[in-house]
């Protein structure tokens, strides 16, 4: 009996449980989230939309997909396919009757697939303009606009419409890029010639000769060659003023200028020297002209120097030619007296490590009249070793670290350096030579000067491309102290005439008023000096002082420092003035 009652109770409880479960309401969808709310598709492309249906306990999580405009984009099970350009909405809706939905705005565009330019290469004269003609494909591209840029705005500038203006001689690329982000682009090579006229004719009628003005439109003279078919009618040379013609005899010939940067750039000048440009016999005043053949040379290269010496009363008592090659200290090379008149040439070889050269001829005629003429300076292409710091005083017990930069050459060098320690008794202790393969920048580490009174360091740089010594550098003779460090550097290795040049001092344990007697700027070419007292130094803070000078002429500008506790001037630092 008890067992029967237990079975009946169990059945009743189970029936109650089933009844309670059947009475619960099903969970509806409350939220749908799509992986994107806005998309942009190129026509013909597809994108998969994914729906996240909440809550997880929803009994019916099925959704339906529809497009507001199937002509723009279709959708099936979340896969959207772009049909034509335009906009529409993709709607994802719950199928449980809850009315919950999510939308994605679709923009269909036609990206640019190709840009084709009518011209691949064009030549535009200086001052001229050029507007590129470009075909945009396909024709129904949503945004067919093009953004134009110039690879060198010193040669070519370009506005928003693509109209390009030639503002300097040279070569550059005009690049048009599709503005729609497709990444499609087109490139046009543009050449702006150096010379405005390919050929012209000139007549020399004055005894002073003729200067034909030239505008090279930003091209440096070093890239222009100048040759004459015959050289017996006149002397000629090219500088920033133009093409100079000095008459020697009546006749005609042609001078041709050419660009070494682009062989197609040439200009012919047909020159005729008239009888009126010649002095009658015995009336020509004492005249001297000296002209280097080139406007830019390389170290070790031989340079022809043309000259013209005539007039006055002959025979000449003295004719002297001196060719000067300049480094930080200046070096002259004398040549034998000139005996060939009125014109001729000599040849000078440019030593390694020098920055420029020029020639001077002095003539004294039979009456004692003297005439001297200098050529224009000729820059020399050279490697430059630029120390980041030059020490004038160094602290005993510390290593001396000198950062450096090498300008020019192949970019890979062998550098050898050592230090000379000068002891109180005057003896010298030469440290071991250190050799290292370096790039364009690095640091030289000199040993602790110990008991030395002075220290001087030396460096030689070999360009690994030609395996020869490219530059030799002697560091300043620095005093060794117990508590002071004084160093300095220029803000750049080269400067143009008229530009501000700044020299910075770094001082530890002292000030300029305590350490310096004076500072001296010096032009190595003729030793003009401009003295600076410590009061001319500006306090930059943190132990750094500066002084500024605007060089007034080309040359090598040196900077010397005189210390109150020393009886000598340290070897000068130098900077090239163009």
């Amino acid at each position: 009996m008890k067992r029967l009652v237990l079975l009946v109770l169990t059945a009743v409880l189970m029936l109650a449980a089933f009844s309670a479960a059947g009475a619960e309401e099903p969970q509806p969808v409350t939220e749908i989230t799509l992986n994107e709310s806005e998309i942009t598709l190129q026509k013909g492309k597809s994108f998969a939309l994914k729906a996240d249906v909440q809550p997880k306990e929803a009994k019916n999580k099925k959704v339906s997909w529809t497009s507001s405009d199937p002509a723009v984009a279709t959708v099936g099970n979340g896969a959207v396919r772009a049909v034509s350009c335009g906009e529409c909405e993709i709607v994802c809706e719950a199928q449980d009757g809850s009315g919950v939905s999510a939308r994605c705005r679709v923009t269909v565009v036609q990206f640019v697939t190709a840009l084709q330019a009518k011209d691949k290469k064009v030549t535009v004269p200086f001052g001229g303009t050029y507007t590129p003609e470009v075909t945009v494909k396909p024709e129904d591209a949503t945004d067919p606009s093009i953004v134009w840029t110039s690879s060198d705005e010193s040669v070519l500038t370009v506005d928003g419409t693509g109209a390009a203006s030639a503002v300097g001689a040279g070569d550059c690329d005009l690049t048009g890029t599709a503005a729609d982000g497709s990444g499609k682009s087109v490139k046009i090579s543009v050449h702006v010639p150096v010379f405005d006229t390919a050929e012209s004719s000139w007549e020399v009628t004055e005894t002073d000769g003729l200067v034909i003005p030239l505008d090279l439109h930003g091209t440096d003279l070093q890239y222009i060659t100048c040759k004459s078919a015959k050289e017996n009618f006149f002397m000629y040379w090219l500088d920033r003023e133009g093409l100079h013609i000095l008459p020697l005899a009546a006749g005609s010939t042609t001078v041709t200028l050419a660009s070494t940067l682009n062989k197609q750039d040439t200009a012919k000048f047909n020159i005729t020297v008239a009888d009126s440009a010649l002095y009658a016999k015995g009336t020509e005043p004492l005249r001297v002209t000296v002209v280097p053949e080139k406007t830019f040379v390389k170290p070790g290269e031989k340079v022809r120097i043309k000259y013209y010496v005539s007039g006055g009363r002959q025979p000449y008592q003295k004719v002297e030619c001196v060719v000067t090659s300049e480094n930080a200290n200046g070096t002259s090379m004398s040549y034998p007296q000139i005996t060939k008149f009125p014109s001729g040439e000599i040849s000078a070889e440019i030593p390694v490590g020098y920055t420029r050269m020029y020639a001077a001829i002095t003539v004294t005629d039979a009456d004692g009249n003297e005439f001297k003429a200098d050529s224009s300076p000729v820059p020399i292409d050279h490697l430059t070793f630029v120390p980041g710091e030059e020490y004038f005083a160094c602290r005993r017990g510390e290593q001396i670290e000198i950062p450096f930069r090498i300008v020019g050459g192949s970019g890979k060098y062998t550098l050898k350096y050592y230090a000379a320690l000068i002891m109180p008794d005057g003896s010298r202790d030469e440290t071991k030579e250190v050799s290292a393969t370096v790039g364009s920048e690095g640091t030289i580490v000199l040993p602790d000067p110990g008991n030395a009174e002075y220290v001087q360091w030396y460096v030689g740089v070999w360009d690994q491309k030609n395996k020869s010594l490219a530059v030799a550098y002697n560091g300043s003779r620095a005093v060794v102290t117990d508590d002071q460090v004084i160093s300095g550097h220029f803000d750049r290795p080269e400067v143009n005439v008229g530009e501000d040049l700044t020299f910075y001092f770094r001082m530890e344990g002292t000030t300029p008023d305590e350490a310096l007697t004076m500072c001296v700027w010096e032009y190595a070419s003729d030793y003009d000096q401009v003295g600076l007292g410590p009061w001319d130094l500006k306090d930059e803070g943190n132990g750094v002082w500066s002084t500024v000078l605007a060089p007034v002429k080309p040359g090598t500008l040196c900077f010397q420092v005189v210390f109150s506790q020393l009886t000598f001037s340290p070897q000068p630092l130098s900077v090239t003035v163009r």
Side-chain angles (χ1 to χ4, degrees), residues 312-563:
R313 193 164 73 87
Q314 301 186 29
Y316 299 128
Q317 298 182 36
K318 181 181 180 182
V319 181
E320 182 181 51
C321 178
V322 176
V323 178
T324 301
S325 294
E326 289 185 355
N327 55 13
N329 302 314
T331 299
S332 298
M333 298 177 289
S334 296
Y335 286 82
Q337 289 190 353
I338 295 172
T339 57
K340 182 181 178 181
F341 302 104
S343 61
E345 63 181 46
I346 58 175
S347 179
E349 184 171 338
I350 308 304
V352 170
Y354 288 73
T355 59
R356 71 171 192 159
M357 60 82 66
Y358 62 95
I361 293 181
T362 304
V363 180
T364 305
D365 71 2
D367 294 329
N369 299 314
E370 184 178 276
F371 197 102
K372 180 180 179 180
D374 291 343
S375 73
S376 57
V378 180
I380 300 170
D381 184 14
H382 65 292
L383 280 179
T384 304
F385 180 88
V386 185
E389 292 284 342
E390 185 74 288
Y391 282 80
F392 303 108
C394 55
R395 187 180 287 122
R396 197 183 313 277
E398 292 184 359
Q399 288 183 333
I400 304 172
E401 295 187 0
I402 305 168
F404 66 84
R405 182 164 55 93
I406 303 174
V407 180
S410 66
K412 192 173 183 181
Y413 320 95
T414 298
L415 186 145
K416 296 181 181 180
Y417 62 92
Y418 64 95
L421 304 178
I422 298 93
M423 300 302 173
D425 62 0
S427 63
R428 293 170 63 91
D429 180 10
E430 303 288 342
T431 64
K432 183 179 179 181
E433 182 181 88
V434 179
S435 178
T437 298
V438 299
S440 298
E441 295 182 351
T443 301
I444 291 176
V445 180
L446 301 182
D448 173 7
N451 296 323
E453 187 173 7
Y454 307 115
V455 60
Q456 186 167 5
W457 57 282
Y458 307 86
V459 62
V461 181
W462 280 256
D463 187 347
Q464 291 194 348
K465 184 176 182 180
N466 54 31
K467 306 298 183 182
S468 61
L469 179 66
V471 61
Y473 191 90
N474 293 339
S476 292
R477 189 179 186 190
V479 63
V480 180
T481 68
D482 292 324
D483 57 1
Q484 294 179 358
V485 174
I486 305 174
S487 63
H489 68 277
F490 289 109
D491 64 345
R492 68 192 103 169
E494 294 184 351
V495 65
N496 294 321
V497 170
E499 292 181 346
D500 283 346
L501 176 68
T502 304
F503 187 85
Y504 291 96
F505 281 102
R506 180 172 64 88
M507 296 191 178
E508 298 177 10
T510 186
T511 64
D513 288 334
E514 295 173 346
L516 306 181
T517 303
M518 68 180 300
C519 310
V520 179
W521 295 96
E522 177 181 278
Y523 280 98
S525 57
D526 49 18
Y527 301 100
D528 291 345
Q529 293 188 356
V530 180
L532 296 172
W535 50 89
D536 293 313
L537 300 177
K538 176 184 176 183
D539 188 352
E540 301 282 356
N542 298 319
V544 177
W545 281 261
S546 66
T547 184
V548 178
L549 186 71
V552 296
K553 59 184 177 180
T556 302
L557 190 63
C558 301
F559 189 48
Q560 291 189 348
V561 181
V562 182
F563 291 97

Side-chain angles (χ1 to χ4, degrees), residues 116-197:
Q116 294 179 348
K118 178 182 177 182
D119 305 308
K120 291 185 178 181
K121 296 182 179 180
V122 294
T123 296
V124 183
F126 177 81
T129 59
Y130 169 72
T131 301
E133 296 183 28
V134 175
T135 301
V136 179
K137 292 186 176 182
E139 294 182 357
D140 63 344
T142 303
D143 182 3
S145 58
I146 301 173
V147 178
W148 291 96
T149 57
S150 169
S151 64
D152 188 346
E153 292 193 347
S154 68
V155 175
L156 199 73
T157 60
V158 61
D159 65 16
T161 66
S165 300
V167 296
D171 295 277
C172 72
D173 291 327
L174 184 61
T175 301
T177 303
D180 64 358
S182 61
K184 301 300 180 181
S185 64
V186 66
K187 187 180 293 184
I188 303 171
S189 298
V190 180
H191 174 65
V192 181
V194 173
F195 309 109
D196 293 327
T197 305

Side-chain angles (χ1 to χ4, degrees), residues 65 104 112 135 153 170 213 228 244 253 264 282 288 295 330 346 359 364 400 460 464 467 472 480 513 571:
W65 298 87
C104 175
V112 173
T135 301
E153 292 193 347
S228 174
H244 294 251
T253 192
Q264 67 179 343
V288 178
T295 57
I346 58 175
T364 305
I400 304 172
Q464 291 194 348
K467 306 298 183 182
V480 180
D513 288 334
Q571 199 164 356

